[in-house]
Amino acid sequence: MSTVSPVGPANGYRRIATEEAFVPPELHRMYRELVASGSVDDPGFNSLIGYYLGHPSERARNVSERLQDIGERRVADMDSAGIDMQILSLTSPGVQVLKRDAAVAMARLANDQVAEAVRRYPKRFAALAAVAPQNPPEAAKELERAVTKLGLKGVIINSHTLGEYLDDPKFSPIFEAATALKVPVYLHPNTPPKKMIEPFLESGLDGALYGFAVETGLHALRLIVKGVFDRYPDLTVILGHLGEALPFWLFRLDYMHRGTVSSGRYDFLKPLKKKVSDYLRDNFYYTTSGMASPPAITFTQSVIGMDRVMYAMDYPYQYVHDEVRVQDALALSAADKKAFFQTTAERVFKV
Amino acid sequence: MSTVSPVGPANGYRRIATEEAFVPPELHRMYRELVASGSVDDPGFNSLIGYYLGHPSERARNVSERLQDIGERRVADMDSAGIDMQILSLTSPGVQVLKRDAAVAMARLANDQVAEAVRRYPKRFAALAAVAPQNPPEAAKELERAVTKLGLKGVIINSHTLGEYLDDPKFSPIFEAATALKVPVYLHPNTPPKKMIEPFLESGLDGALYGFAVETGLHALRLIVKGVFDRYPDLTVILGHLGEALPFWLFRLDYMHRGTVSSGRYDFLKPLKKKVSDYLRDNFYYTTSGMASPPAITFTQSVIGMDRVMYAMDYPYQYVHDEVRVQDALALSAADKKAFFQTTAERVFKV
């Protein structure tokens, strides 16, 4: 195994990057068929995946190639950027656009494949499980298998599943399994669903530019206001991109939620045990994927808590060495810096 | 005229609240008819206005009554909260849900009515014009009349007009008028349009809890990425709620916009003259409506610029005396505090 060459001077911490994407070549091929046939009724999928699979630009080709490598090339990239470990997860939208049985099978394949990469590079990789929310009981079973048999460290959900959100009680088996296994749920962006995407798509704002943030912020808030964390108080959810801006909104979320619930505006919005901001502080962790922005990182640490913000790169979508240096240079104590890059991730993912 | 009783000790500044809503009783009655008949094809309108007009809760009744008063009761509320001046604007969605001719007529009525209130209380009120984007040439004419004949100080647009956004070139007359008259456009929230609202509405997140922010942030970004500020470099847009969180996203917006445009992913996304964050710093002002949150205010000031963040209350939706005290206590120099409460608003609105 090659030694990590630190980007800066030796720092006294390992850099664990916590939102790093891969795709099995088998799923990549399946995406290609789905885009070509137009058989997935999800304009965001066709726009986003169509772009990465078919566009002649260097960016699209680069991402497409690197996503499929969880071996030597990736480790070389990590060495070059100074990343000690990646927490691997199946790229968005994962298996969540496939038909039910194909999704279940592909999640197993992805988990077996990534577990094999972890076995080959145990010091460089850990991984989250993919599951098929299309079949909640099977998703729960697969999560259990992935954690107990394959040694995976949690589960990634790429936001909505063809327009469905995890606050629907039918998805409870997934939260039951995650809390029973004591592993986190990484709620990763997806493009907004068909019933929401049009004003984003017609202005090119459907993807990582803005639609991702809105879709995932909405999903996280749906979990909170629909009472998921009152039903599963030990549930841990991780958000990338510094919480999709929800840390910015804490004050307004509390004010407007209180007013909305106390006036009984919506029958289905019941009072919660805690304030919206309490859940965002107590049940969520945040990573810096795509947000190598010191003011935004410092702000999030200050309103959420130093021990809940972790480093992430967002490889291969955002593979920029300078962004590691910028975060190395954050104005933090040595202990807080080590927590940010290493020890919080070690605790949350048990690596 | 009654003297303002300052909330705290005498502070050396006037408090100008810059996003303060009213509704003519005539429009209020028309809303009631529209909600009752179900004739507006906008689920957000029916949910939001149906709530404020018809709900028995104290919050709904309070807001509904206070919105219709731009006389003694409002001035008494301002005295009691220590507000020296309100910049009045027609409440969301304004005339933007009416049929074209009715919208044009109602905008005129609202402007005449609010101009009369300003004449009665010239030290306590200034106002923005309402216009009907449904008829862009008439909207431009009405804006000119409102500014040159009635002395109004800018124009409010309550985000989408039945699903249409101002980046559509057909709305250019509005920007031409605003820049020719050198007045700002206040881009105020609305509920998301029909083609976007479903996942928000089914979870009670369609209004001020989250949908407002997303809809208005989207609208502002559409203006930027579609090149409106390259066509109108002197255009000034004001965003409430501390910019609907766009200040949080500056880094990612720049990164993803660069990647998207340079790879040519969307034919209609042309290179811009500046970075997305440049427009957000050069063409936008920000108010604190609904966001009496010192960390979020300080963050916005730090990434956008001290001279572009202004105080707002969001009366009568958020009429909370303590929120004035909280902002009086912001850790700012005397000059910056005066700019925040008074002089930036005086410059932007020419009051």
Side-chain angles (χ1 to χ4, degrees):
Chain A
M1 190 158 318
S2 56
T3 313
V4 172
S5 39
V7 171
N11 288 303
Y13 48 82
R14 296 168 67 224
R15 294 189 197 86
I16 303 178
T18 54
E19 187 197 302
E20 316 306 319
F22 80 100
V23 70
E26 294 84 347
L27 179 55
H28 195 257
R29 277 198 295 278
M30 198 176 280
Y31 281 166
R32 195 177 289 284
E33 291 160 18
L34 291 171
V35 168
S37 67
S39 60
V40 176
D41 187 25
D42 185 274
F45 170 77
N46 290 300
S47 170
L48 183 78
I49 303 301
Y51 166 68
Y52 280 118
L53 290 180
H55 200 273
S57 65
E58 193 186 334
R59 171 167 173 82
R61 193 176 42 76
N62 235 319
V63 166
S64 197
E65 283 177 17
R66 283 189 152 91
L67 273 176
Q68 296 178 71
D69 183 295
I70 42 177
E72 278 180 34
R73 178 173 184 176
R74 183 175 295 246
V75 171
D77 281 350
M78 291 164 64
D79 289 343
S80 146
I83 302 302
D84 294 83
M85 174 177 265
Q86 285 191 350
I87 310 291
L88 297 164
S89 52
L90 183 60
T91 198
S92 188
V95 304
Q96 294 171 238
V97 290
L98 308 185
K99 297 221 184 289
R100 190 179 149 112
D101 292 348
V104 169
M106 185 56 76
R108 288 182 68 97
L109 180 151
N111 294 336
D112 288 340
Q113 209 169 90
V114 80
E116 176 56 31
V118 171
R119 272 191 294 275
R120 284 178 60 207
Y121 298 95
K123 293 189 177 160
R124 309 306 297 276
F125 295 142
L128 304 181
V131 298
Q134 295 93 322
N135 186 333
E138 279 301 321
K141 262 198 246 172
E142 177 59 11
L143 177 53
E144 189 185 0
R145 182 186 81 95
V147 172
T148 61
K149 302 287 197 296
L150 303 178
L152 305 196
K153 302 301 187 182
V155 57
I156 188 154
I157 304 285
N158 291 297
S159 203
H160 76 90
T161 301
L162 294 173
E164 296 195 308
Y165 293 83
L166 296 178
D167 54 287
D168 187 321
K170 77 179 180 185
F171 296 115
S172 298
I174 297 173
F175 294 131
E176 276 157 25
T179 49
L181 294 161
K182 300 188 196 311
V183 296
V185 176
Y186 204 120
L187 189 63
H188 183 280
N190 190 355
T191 47
K194 186 179 182 184
K195 58 190 171 184
M196 170 176 157
I197 200 172
E198 191 179 324
F200 297 84
L201 199 55
E202 67 193 19
S203 54
L205 292 162
D206 50 305
L209 240 172
Y210 193 56
F212 273 14
V214 164
E215 157 64 17
T216 318
L218 170 67
H219 201 153
L221 288 176
R222 287 180 61 127
L223 298 184
I224 294 173
V225 302
K226 299 293 277 302
V228 167
F229 296 100
D230 284 350
R231 296 204 297 279
Y232 303 100
D234 296 329
L235 178 63
T236 294
V237 173
I238 305 171
L239 293 172
H241 317 97
L242 288 175
E244 314 297 353
L246 297 184
F248 188 86
W249 288 116
L250 299 182
F251 176 87
R252 187 159 167 82
L253 290 169
D254 284 343
Y255 182 91
M256 288 299 169
H257 183 261
R258 193 168 49 238
T260 303
V261 170
S262 69
S263 74
R265 178 170 168 190
Y266 303 91
D267 291 344
F268 52 83
L269 279 199
K270 306 295 184 206
L272 299 175
K273 291 187 182 155
K274 304 197 283 187
K275 290 184 295 181
V276 173
S277 63
D278 291 333
Y279 299 101
L280 286 167
R281 290 192 178 101
D282 297 346
N283 291 90
F284 285 79
Y285 284 84
Y286 301 83
T287 81
T288 65
S289 54
M291 287 287 280
S293 164
I297 296 171
T298 303
F299 172 79
T300 304
Q301 289 170 327
S302 76
V303 298
I304 295 292
M306 190 60 80
D307 57 339
R308 289 197 170 254
V309 181
M310 297 182 278
Y311 170 69
M313 176 178 269
D314 215 348
Y315 178 96
Y317 295 100
Q318 202 152 339
Y319 175 48
V320 182
H321 291 199
D322 270 352
E323 294 185 358
V324 183
R325 290 190 191 93
V326 160
Q327 291 175 79
D328 272 331
L330 283 169
L332 295 173
S333 71
D336 287 340
K337 190 85 65 75
K338 186 167 182 171
F340 172 76
F341 273 108
Q342 177 185 339
T343 53
T344 303
E346 287 174 343
R347 190 174 75 247
V348 171
F349 297 106
K350 304 196 193 90
V351 291
Chain B
M1 190 160 314
S2 56
T3 314
V4 172
S5 39
V7 172
N11 289 303
Y13 48 83
R14 296 167 68 224
R15 295 187 196 89
I16 302 178
T18 55
E19 187 197 300
E20 316 306 318
F22 80 100
V23 69
E26 294 85 347
L27 180 55
H28 195 259
R29 275 197 298 277
M30 198 176 280
Y31 282 166
R32 194 177 290 283
E33 291 160 19
L34 291 170
V35 168
S37 67
S39 59
V40 176
D41 188 25
D42 185 276
F45 169 77
N46 290 302
S47 170
L48 183 76
I49 303 301
Y51 167 67
Y52 280 118
L53 291 180
H55 200 273
S57 66
E58 191 186 335
R59 170 166 174 83
R61 192 175 44 77
N62 235 318
V63 165
S64 196
E65 284 178 15
R66 282 188 152 92
L67 273 177
Q68 297 180 70
D69 182 298
I70 43 177
E72 276 181 35
R73 178 175 183 174
R74 183 175 294 244
V75 171
D77 280 351
M78 292 164 64
D79 289 343
S80 145
I83 301 304
D84 294 83
M85 176 177 263
Q86 284 191 350
I87 310 291
L88 297 165
S89 52
L90 184 60
T91 198
S92 188
V95 305
Q96 294 170 240
V97 290
L98 307 185
K99 298 224 183 288
R100 189 177 149 113
D101 293 347
V104 170
M106 186 56 77
R108 288 183 68 96
L109 180 151
N111 295 336
D112 288 340
Q113 208 167 92
V114 80
E116 175 57 30
V118 172
R119 273 192 294 276
R120 284 178 62 206
Y121 298 94
K123 294 190 176 161
R124 310 305 298 276
F125 295 142
L128 304 180
V131 297
Q134 294 94 324
N135 186 333
E138 280 299 322
K141 262 198 246 174
E142 176 60 10
L143 177 53
E144 190 186 358
R145 182 187 81 94
V147 172
T148 61
K149 301 289 197 295
L150 303 179
L152 304 195
K153 303 301 186 182
V155 56
I156 188 152
I157 303 284
N158 290 297
S159 203
H160 75 90
T161 300
L162 293 172
E164 295 194 311
Y165 292 84
L166 295 178
D167 55 286
D168 187 322
K170 76 178 180 185
F171 295 115
S172 298
I174 297 173
F175 294 130
E176 277 157 25
T179 49
L181 295 161
K182 300 189 196 309
V183 296
V185 177
Y186 204 118
L187 189 63
H188 183 280
N190 190 357
T191 47
K194 186 179 181 182
K195 58 191 172 184
M196 171 177 158
I197 201 172
E198 189 179 324
F200 297 85
L201 199 54
E202 68 193 19
S203 54
L205 292 161
D206 50 305
L209 240 172
Y210 193 57
F212 274 12
V214 163
E215 157 63 18
T216 318
L218 170 67
H219 201 153
L221 289 175
R222 287 180 62 128
L223 297 184
I224 294 173
V225 303
K226 298 294 276 305
V228 167
F229 296 98
D230 284 350
R231 296 205 297 281
Y232 304 100
D234 297 329
L235 178 63
T236 294
V237 173
I238 305 170
L239 293 172
H241 317 97
L242 288 175
E244 314 297 353
L246 297 183
F248 189 86
W249 288 116
L250 299 180
F251 176 88
R252 186 158 167 84
L253 290 169
D254 284 344
Y255 182 92
M256 287 298 168
H257 183 261
R258 194 167 50 239
T260 303
V261 169
S262 70
S263 75
R265 178 170 168 189
Y266 304 91
D267 292 343
F268 53 83
L269 279 199
K270 307 294 183 205
L272 299 175
K273 291 189 182 154
K274 303 196 284 186
K275 289 184 295 181
V276 174
S277 63
D278 291 332
Y279 300 101
L280 286 167
R281 290 194 178 101
D282 297 347
N283 291 89
F284 285 79
Y285 284 84
Y286 301 83
T287 80
T288 64
S289 53
M291 286 289 277
S293 164
I297 295 171
T298 302
F299 171 80
T300 304
Q301 289 170 327
S302 76
V303 298
I304 295 292
M306 190 60 81
D307 58 341
R308 289 195 170 256
V309 182
M310 297 181 278
Y311 170 69
M313 177 178 267
D314 215 349
Y315 179 95
Y317 296 100
Q318 202 153 339
Y319 176 48
V320 182
H321 291 199
D322 270 352
E323 293 186 359
V324 183
R325 290 191 191 93
V326 161
Q327 293 175 78
D328 273 330
L330 284 168
L332 295 172
S333 72
D336 287 340
K337 189 85 63 77
K338 187 168 181 171
F340 172 76
F341 273 108
Q342 176 185 340
T343 54
T344 303
E346 287 174 342
R347 191 173 75 246
V348 172
F349 297 107
K350 304 195 191 91
V351 293

